[in-house]
Amino acid sequence: MAKNEQRSAKKISSPYARDSEELVQELDTNAEDGLSRQEAEKRLEEYGPNELEEQEEKSLLALLLSQLNNPVIYLLIAACGLAFAFGDTPEAIAIIVVIVLNTAIGFWMEFQAQQSMKALKKMDVVKARVLRDGREQEINAEQLAPGDILLLETGALVPADGRILSESELSIDESPLTGESVPVEKDAAPLEEDTQVADRRNMVFKGTAITNGSGKVVVTATGMRTEIGNISALVSSAEAEQAPLDKKLQRLSQRLIWVTLGLAALFFLFGWVAGKPVYQLVQTAIAWTIAAIPEGLPIVASIALARGMLRLAKRNVIVKRLSAVETLGETTVIFTDKTGTLTENRLTLDVIQLDGVRARVDWKDDGTSVCLSDEGAGAQSGERKDLPALFFRIATLCNDASLSEENNGQREGKGDPLDLALLRFCQAHDKEQYQELRSRERLAEEPFDSEDMVMGVVHEVDGGIFLSAKGAPLPILERCTQLLTAEGTVPLREDARKKWAGYSEALSEAGLRVIALAFKELKEKPSGEAEVEEKLMQEMTLAGLAGFIDPPRKEVKGAVELCKQAGIRIKMATGDHPGTALNVGRKVSVVAEEEAGVLHGRELRRGDSGRPTEEEILKTAIFARVDPEQKLNLVDLHQRHGEVVGMTGDGVNDAPALKKADIGIAMGKRGTQVATEVASLVLKDDSFPSIVEAICEGRIIFGNIRKFIVYQLSYHLSEILLIALISFTVFELPLLPLQLLFLNLLSDVFPALALGIGGGSDKVMQQKPKDPKEPIVTRRHWVRIGTYGLILTTALAAAYFFAREYWGLDPEACNNIAFFSLAFAQLWHVFNMREAEEPLFDNQVTRNKYIWGALALCTAAIFAAYFTPALKEALSFQTLSGRAWGLIAVTSVLPVLVIQGGKMLAKGHSFWQA
């Protein structure tokens, strides 16, 4: 093992800063022959397979047991045990039914989410081309070992980290690792020791993709030792935060348990001192437990969340954890990656700079055509249709990419992303002319070279010989002596050359990738490629500049603005360059047009003297060139300052922060397996607006949960107070345990559930997020619960004592009157959950069809129990007289009239808000 550790230390010792030949010797390999089969097997045994550690999936048993990890369930299990101990088998069975229902619902929904995630995992086996025993071979990527010589070409996935030994026009899409939207051009030159991962141009990294060229690489790290492996380790070390809803329900349950146990113990002690039978005291204690604990709370909370989960699934949002839906509703800050989340993750032509005119490329909605609109100093605003024919010709001809016609050239194609972007523009702008030019035979060419930074091609066009060239702006400018203007060509003087260099710099600072286009009309065909570069690509005419951007998704800006309206701050954390990040941030309203505040990753790495303060970091909206650990630290910093943090992303570099965030949101289409595994939500359509829908759903769910908790606790309080009042005054039990359990199973589940799945207010996204520290039941809600409970208790106690004192009925008859008064009072109490500012007869409650269904079902169940002999006997019901039913009707309706009267008198007061 010591040997393994020593070899590992060599490989991670800054290979990008080493001379390639020295590194090959140190790795004990051969750049021409590769490893021998025996040596490769030895190293594979030593280092293990080239694969990442997978997140362990919850077993079915663990999934099942997690549903029982709830304080309310603990108390119900204890009550069930006591009921069995004292022979109250019906009560015990009824409690078991409640526990089983809650467990089954939660288990099934989370199991379904787990199965959905399995379907998202990529199952393809990655292959690798290597040199072994002096021969080129194709092997499974997991069999790679440090020292292997990799052969990479366009279209291949990089299977391991490695140092480039040689390359030819090699460029790599590193967006899954760094977040940078533009492919990185690679070379083999050594770099400085302190070079960031995103700037290590002589290295290739596992999980990235070759977009152009080819290269020979020596493998320096495999498996968990790769950069992706380091991120995977960060994911493992990042502690997942407990969802706010889980915390709040847990705190509420604990309070209820302690209050219940305290009251039961107090009554037991009081009765024992008074000499009452132990069985009667235990029975009353069990009744109190059942009265105090809302048995339906876990069930209704689970179903309300599950229904929200199913509604979101129809909108392509997979919710992996039920409480994650509500957590979104509390989110105060959303950190979003840029590439693939806010943007489309493909280059698009955005700006064309011509002489005197800067034109913006406006793509039509269907993506099949474009128009140009003038912008910039001195230009008249309006639509511009006259793109110079020479500019169009250069963009079409000087291009090595190819588009797939079957998809109308919109997304499919092969070649450099920049070349593809040019072809998409040309095809959309003038498809007929585009096809005519693309059919022309190329007479000669000078391929793009990373040293010269230019390319040129020669075609025969309109009876003449035409040289098209494009490349980096400064090298092209150096080769130009003429400038194309609206009046024709004019000499390119030194002041004009500086002006065009300024145009290029301004576009680059705005976050665009810029190239220059030039041309030259030749008198005869060139004799060879050498002549094209050395003689012909000189004294050319500058046609203009082209600026490219990874465009924002069209729907994102509206979604970001809606989040701001809802009091949610959107922040961008990306591995891309500051200019690019700021440009996209302005386009999607993450920052205003006049804002320029961007923090660079290197600023976050400085020592205490140069590092931004926490206050400055908290005020910043865009973070550029940040690595995975910095994203993790940003999430942690905001959480420590009381924010509920959402994090969106699709790359491996997002995974640690996705796990650490209160709510991690991964992209399902472009998302890496690591990202989707650690996230709480997965967007199957990669649509940012789906997050807004999920936030809205979360807020509605929380409001509904709060509403049915106020509903449940207020009538449960009335049960406690009624039992306490009667038991401590006349030592009679006004409500039997089985009666309470039957009643609570009806009221706690059906009306409460109907409240829990209501449609919510249409103004929910106009409200600011709740204080993350605010409990589900605030002091104001407790006062309201107490008031509701006292009003209900007063009416019910009046019914009991009226029947006992004035009518002289026996305790059994009084018990029945109290039960049915309570039963119907609880049902009508649901109407008290309307908002005070809503109309009396047209509000969220009355418009909820499930409320009416629940009331009809519960009323039918109550009368079925009354008229069914077996149930009537089990629940100790008697046949009641007409005057008894009259008393029940009056006392059950009276609380609704009192509470609704109070709401009408104090309309709009926060006390009456349900």
Side-chain angles (χ1 to χ4, degrees):
M1 190 66 185
K3 182 179 179 182
N4 185 15
E5 291 173 356
Q6 183 180 2
R7 189 185 289 268
S8 297
K10 284 185 178 181
K11 290 185 178 62
I12 61 173
S13 180
S14 308
Y16 53 88
R18 315 285 286 280
D19 179 78
S20 58
E21 292 184 5
E22 175 190 334
L23 187 63
V24 168
Q25 289 179 359
E26 193 168 341
L27 288 171
D28 194 17
T29 186
N30 187 300
E32 303 303 322
D33 298 331
L35 297 174
S36 66
R37 182 177 60 83
Q38 294 84 354
E39 180 64 18
E41 289 176 354
K42 178 182 175 183
R43 295 189 185 192
L44 188 61
E45 183 177 351
E46 184 177 357
Y47 292 105
N50 176 34
E51 57 188 19
L52 302 180
E53 294 176 0
E54 293 189 1
Q55 188 178 17
E56 187 175 349
E57 189 179 87
K58 263 188 180 180
S59 67
L60 293 181
L61 179 61
L63 206 61
L64 183 65
L65 292 177
S66 67
Q67 310 306 315
L68 299 172
N69 188 20
N70 184 311
V72 173
I73 299 296
Y74 298 157
L75 194 58
L76 287 175
I77 291 173
C80 179
L82 283 174
F84 271 126
F86 284 90
D88 292 331
T89 304
E91 294 171 18
I93 292 174
I95 294 173
I96 289 172
V97 169
V98 173
I99 295 171
V100 169
L101 278 174
N102 176 71
T103 303
I105 292 167
F107 172 82
W108 176 250
M109 295 311 301
E110 295 200 18
F111 174 74
Q112 288 293 87
Q114 195 178 80
Q115 295 304 109
S116 297
M117 285 308 305
K118 283 183 179 179
L120 284 175
K121 291 183 179 178
K122 298 178 176 68
M123 303 303 291
D124 296 335
V125 177
V126 178
K127 298 288 186 178
R129 287 175 57 227
V130 298
L131 288 175
R132 283 191 179 171
D133 293 318
R135 293 184 297 107
E136 185 179 321
Q137 302 178 30
E138 186 175 74
I139 63 173
N140 287 343
E142 65 182 25
Q143 296 174 336
L144 285 171
D148 261 321
I149 303 299
L150 268 177
L151 302 176
L152 301 173
E153 60 183 12
T154 302
L157 286 176
V158 179
D161 286 6
R163 170 74 156 81
I164 297 172
L165 302 178
S166 62
E167 54 80 30
S168 176
E169 316 305 331
L170 182 64
S171 60
I172 300 180
D173 176 9
E174 294 184 345
S175 59
L177 181 67
T178 65
E180 186 164 353
S181 56
V182 177
V184 179
E185 294 173 357
K186 297 290 185 175
D187 59 56
L191 299 169
E192 295 296 325
E193 186 82 23
D194 60 352
T195 305
Q196 291 180 240
V197 172
D199 296 321
R200 293 175 190 170
R201 297 184 177 273
N202 60 6
M203 295 288 294
V204 299
F205 302 106
K206 180 179 174 68
T208 59
I210 311 298
T211 59
N212 190 54
S214 60
K216 180 188 285 188
V217 172
V218 59
V219 174
T220 57
T222 59
M224 293 299 291
R225 297 179 182 86
T226 60
E227 288 298 326
I228 281 185
N230 293 335
I231 295 172
S232 182
L234 276 176
V235 172
S236 299
S237 62
E239 295 182 5
E241 292 290 308
Q242 185 183 15
L245 179 63
D246 291 339
K247 297 176 186 175
K248 292 174 181 180
L249 286 175
Q250 193 174 59
R251 283 197 295 268
L252 175 62
S253 300
Q254 288 170 348
R255 287 184 180 181
L256 290 175
I257 286 171
W258 285 114
V259 169
T260 301
L261 293 176
L263 286 173
L266 182 65
F267 176 80
F268 190 90
L269 179 64
F270 185 82
W272 182 70
V273 171
K276 297 298 177 181
V278 172
Y279 174 75
Q280 181 183 348
L281 296 176
V282 170
Q283 190 181 40
T284 305
I286 293 175
W288 233 333
T289 301
I290 294 171
I293 297 299
E295 292 86 353
L297 177 59
I299 294 176
V300 176
S302 294
I303 293 178
L305 290 170
R307 188 169 186 271
M309 179 177 173
L310 292 173
R311 279 197 294 224
L312 288 173
K314 294 177 181 177
R315 298 181 175 95
N316 293 311
V317 180
I318 295 177
V319 182
K320 295 170 60 182
R321 186 163 42 88
L322 288 181
S323 55
V325 180
E326 185 277 335
T327 307
L328 262 178
E330 293 192 335
T331 302
T332 57
V333 174
I334 294 179
F335 274 96
T336 175
D337 187 33
K338 178 186 70 67
T339 307
T341 305
L342 299 179
T343 66
E344 297 182 5
N345 198 22
R346 67 178 178 91
L347 282 179
T348 300
L349 183 61
D350 186 59
V351 170
I352 297 174
Q353 177 69 58
L354 306 171
D355 180 59
V357 176
R358 180 176 296 174
R360 176 76 61 185
V361 179
D362 298 319
W363 291 83
K364 297 297 178 64
D365 290 339
D366 60 3
T368 59
S369 60
V370 297
C371 66
L372 301 178
S373 56
D374 293 347
E375 66 167 28
Q380 293 186 352
S381 178
E383 187 170 301
R384 176 182 175 87
K385 299 179 180 178
D386 55 337
L387 176 69
L390 289 174
F391 189 100
F392 181 88
R393 183 185 296 177
I394 298 165
T396 306
L397 294 176
C398 192
N399 202 306
D400 288 332
S402 61
L403 292 176
S404 169
E405 291 299 325
E406 63 181 80
N407 287 304
N408 201 27
Q410 291 304 301
R411 290 187 181 274
E412 300 299 323
K414 294 181 179 180
D416 183 82
L418 187 146
D419 281 352
L420 286 169
L422 274 177
L423 290 190
R424 289 190 186 99
F425 164 77
C426 293
Q427 186 188 58
H429 188 69
D430 189 337
K431 188 172 183 180
E432 184 177 341
Q433 181 68 10
Y434 163 82
Q435 291 174 338
E436 195 277 328
L437 287 172
R438 291 296 286 177
S439 66
R440 299 215 170 246
E441 180 184 358
R442 184 176 292 187
L443 303 179
E445 65 179 317
E446 168 59 25
F448 181 85
D449 186 286
S450 57
E451 292 184 7
D452 297 331
M453 304 294 287
V454 295
M455 74 170 288
V457 295
V458 179
H459 293 80
E460 186 174 348
V461 182
D462 295 337
I465 308 301
F466 187 80
L467 174 109
S468 310
K470 76 174 192 295
L474 293 182
I476 288 288
L477 279 170
E478 290 173 359
R479 295 167 181 261
C480 290
T481 57
Q482 303 288 317
L483 173 65
L484 179 66
T485 69
E487 290 75 30
T489 59
V490 298
L492 182 64
R493 303 185 185 280
E494 190 59 30
D495 57 341
R497 196 184 302 274
K498 290 180 180 179
K499 183 176 72 173
W500 278 90
Y503 289 157
S504 172
E505 185 177 351
L507 291 173
S508 295
E509 288 179 353
L512 277 70
R513 186 176 179 184
V514 185
I515 62 169
L517 288 81
F519 70 95
K520 186 176 184 180
E521 294 176 337
L522 306 178
K523 296 180 180 179
E524 57 184 14
K525 296 180 183 180
S527 58
E529 291 183 359
E531 187 180 359
V532 174
E533 200 279 325
E534 294 175 6
K535 297 181 180 180
L536 301 181
M537 288 178 65
Q538 307 294 332
E539 299 182 348
M540 296 187 295
T541 301
L542 178 67
L545 302 175
F548 301 82
I549 190 173
D550 178 12
R553 294 169 179 265
K554 294 179 181 178
E555 69 274 14
V556 167
K557 184 176 181 179
V560 170
E561 290 176 345
L562 188 56
C563 284
K564 287 184 175 181
Q565 180 181 320
I568 302 165
R569 288 175 294 149
I570 306 298
K571 299 195 174 193
M572 185 195 302
T574 178
D576 215 334
H577 295 280
T580 306
L582 183 60
N583 187 21
V584 172
R586 286 171 173 168
K587 285 179 179 288
V588 299
S589 297
V590 170
V591 293
E593 284 293 332
E594 65 275 7
E595 289 187 57
V598 180
L599 275 179
H600 195 288
R602 63 170 173 265
E603 296 178 77
L604 300 177
R605 276 189 292 275
R606 289 174 181 166
D608 293 339
S609 58
R611 180 184 173 87
T613 64
E614 288 191 352
E615 185 177 351
E616 289 173 330
I617 294 173
L618 291 169
K619 289 180 178 179
T620 301
I622 298 179
F623 302 87
R625 298 308 262 179
V626 291
D627 59 35
E629 188 172 1
Q630 289 172 329
K631 287 187 179 183
L632 185 65
N633 292 337
L634 285 171
V635 171
D636 180 65
L637 173 64
H638 284 73
Q639 286 176 330
R640 285 190 282 109
H641 281 77
E643 306 283 3
V644 176
V645 181
M647 172 74 192
T648 75
D650 61 352
V652 176
N653 58 323
D654 302 318
L658 284 172
K659 182 176 179 181
K660 174 64 177 172
D662 296 289
I663 184 79
I665 310 160
M667 303 295 148
K669 279 185 178 178
R670 291 185 173 91
T672 58
Q673 182 175 330
V674 176
T676 54
E677 280 184 349
V678 301
S680 306
L681 268 69
V682 178
L683 307 182
K684 291 200 295 183
D685 59 356
D686 288 9
S687 174
F688 191 86
S690 296
I691 299 172
V692 179
E693 293 186 11
I695 290 172
C696 180
E697 189 69 40
R699 290 188 172 191
I700 290 172
I701 286 173
F702 184 85
N704 289 343
I705 289 176
R706 173 173 275 174
K707 194 169 292 185
F708 76 64
I709 286 177
V710 169
Y711 169 69
Q712 285 184 332
L713 293 186
S714 54
Y715 69 70
H716 275 276
L717 177 62
S718 71
E719 294 173 358
I720 294 171
L721 294 177
L722 184 65
I723 293 172
L725 180 64
I726 307 298
S727 299
F728 280 107
T729 54
V730 295
F731 274 96
E732 294 174 359
L733 194 58
L735 298 166
L736 299 176
L738 192 57
Q739 290 175 341
L740 281 170
L741 199 56
F742 170 75
L743 185 55
N744 289 349
L745 278 175
L746 292 178
S747 300
D748 276 7
V749 174
F750 299 106
L753 178 58
L755 285 173
I757 59 178
S761 169
D762 55 3
K763 298 179 180 179
V764 71
M765 288 301 286
Q766 298 174 15
Q767 302 166 2
K768 301 300 180 185
K770 301 182 306 298
D771 182 346
K773 298 178 182 177
E774 179 181 297
I776 291 181
V777 183
T778 64
R779 181 176 299 178
R780 175 168 54 89
H781 291 104
W782 280 115
V783 172
R784 190 180 316 134
I785 288 167
T787 303
Y788 289 167
L790 283 172
I791 293 172
L792 286 166
T793 302
T794 301
L796 301 174
Y800 187 92
F801 283 113
F802 186 88
R804 186 177 187 275
E805 301 299 329
Y806 286 91
W807 288 347
L809 299 182
D810 58 45
E812 289 75 18
C814 292
N815 162 275
N816 277 211
I817 289 174
F819 171 82
F820 286 109
S821 296
L822 175 64
F824 290 109
Q826 286 182 2
L827 296 184
W828 313 148
H829 184 48
V830 74
F831 294 111
N832 295 326
M833 297 302 108
R834 75 172 177 91
E835 306 288 352
E837 71 271 9
E838 291 182 306
L840 180 62
F841 298 108
D842 183 19
N843 51 68
Q844 291 180 53
V845 178
T846 57
R847 289 194 301 267
N848 187 339
K849 62 181 180 181
Y850 299 107
I851 291 288
W852 296 103
L855 294 180
L857 177 63
C858 291
T859 301
I862 290 169
F863 281 114
Y866 179 74
F867 288 110
T868 303
L871 289 176
K872 188 173 186 178
E873 182 180 354
L875 293 169
S876 303
F877 289 163
Q878 296 182 355
T879 301
L880 298 176
S881 63
R883 65 173 185 172
W885 283 110
L887 180 60
I888 290 167
V890 171
T891 52
S892 66
V893 172
L894 190 59
V896 179
L897 298 177
V898 172
I899 293 171
Q900 291 298 325
K903 287 195 175 190
M904 293 180 70
L905 290 174
K907 188 174 183 179
H909 195 282
S910 61
F911 175 81
W912 296 105
Q913 300 303 311

